[in-house]
Amino acid sequence: MDLTRIEAVLFDMDGTLVDSDAAVERAWRVWAGEHGADPATVLEIAHGAPAERTVRIIRPDLDEAGVTAAAARQLELQYDDLSDVVATPGTAELLAALTLPWAVVTSADVRLAKARLGAAGIAAPVLVTVEDITAGKPDPEGYVRGAELLGVAPSRCLVVEDAEVGVTAGRAAGATVAALKGVDGDIAIRDLHELARLLGL
């Protein structure tokens, strides 16, 4: 795929720039236990999506206040669980060499995003969190907002994702999507070292 037309890069955070999978799973397992839900089922739908979306699917019986409280509890379980949160392989090298404008678009809230990025040693020039939008992934709003903040048309952006809901969001925004972990995107990449090579860095 020709990436010469790409003018900006929009990165997902968890599992893409930041290896936080273990922390995310620990939090959802605890949450599932508190709500009498099957952890495997929860984890199958939770990755890459806003907490509220997962809560609505797992607990359709909750009213709006209940959903908000349950999602807040899930995030609370993650805020201070940073012991094994690190940058993913190739992240430091890619970001050091990247000359295109870039942003992080995450389903986390700003407190969690800053905590995880900080733990991984990443300073995002532009950050779009779930608090900046009205609809989270798989809705394209976050990626459209990221492109807008960078002053680049979404069709000229490369979205980098590791979750199906994120790939769906990136494609719906009109961007080209590079996907990790065997997820079906426009471009399959093993890690960010490979992405750096594709971008000619």
Side-chain angles (χ1 to χ4, degrees):
M1 175 155 311
D2 178 22
L3 295 181
T4 57
R5 65 185 186 81
I6 296 300
E7 296 177 4
V9 184
L10 303 172
F11 293 99
D12 170 54
M13 183 180 73
D14 291 306
T16 298
L17 290 180
V18 177
D19 182 357
S20 56
D21 288 358
V24 171
E25 288 196 12
R26 284 193 295 270
W28 276 116
R29 286 184 186 282
V30 171
W31 185 91
E34 293 176 352
H35 287 264
D38 174 45
T41 301
V42 173
L43 290 171
E44 198 174 296
I45 61 172
H47 187 61
E52 286 195 0
R53 176 178 182 268
T54 301
V55 170
R56 288 182 201 283
I57 294 171
I58 298 298
R59 292 292 309 274
D61 56 305
L62 294 176
D63 60 15
E64 280 304 305
V67 169
T68 299
R73 169 60 179 157
Q74 203 283 330
L75 289 171
E76 185 182 300
L77 290 165
Q78 299 187 56
Y79 288 139
D80 299 319
D81 188 355
L82 302 170
S83 60
D84 52 2
V85 172
V86 295
T88 56
T91 291
E93 297 86 348
L94 171 63
L95 296 182
L98 191 61
T99 56
L100 296 173
W102 61 277
V104 174
V105 179
T106 177
S107 293
D109 67 4
V110 68
R111 177 180 169 186
L112 183 58
K114 288 186 174 180
R116 287 214 176 121
L117 291 169
I122 299 168
V126 173
L127 176 62
V128 179
T129 73
V130 72
E131 292 160 316
D132 298 314
I133 55 177
T134 58
K137 302 172 187 178
D139 191 278
E141 185 183 354
Y143 282 122
V144 171
R145 178 70 176 144
E148 181 185 314
L149 290 170
L150 294 178
V152 177
S155 61
R156 293 282 183 173
C157 290
L158 178 68
V159 163
V160 187
E161 268 285 353
D162 75 317
E164 288 182 12
V165 290
V167 170
T168 299
R171 283 177 164 162
T176 299
V177 182
L180 294 151
K181 301 179 182 175
V183 175
D184 184 25
D186 301 311
I187 306 165
I189 53 174
R190 287 186 299 275
D191 55 31
L192 296 189
H193 290 295
E194 183 174 0
L195 179 59
R197 288 193 294 274
L198 290 173
L199 290 171
L201 303 177

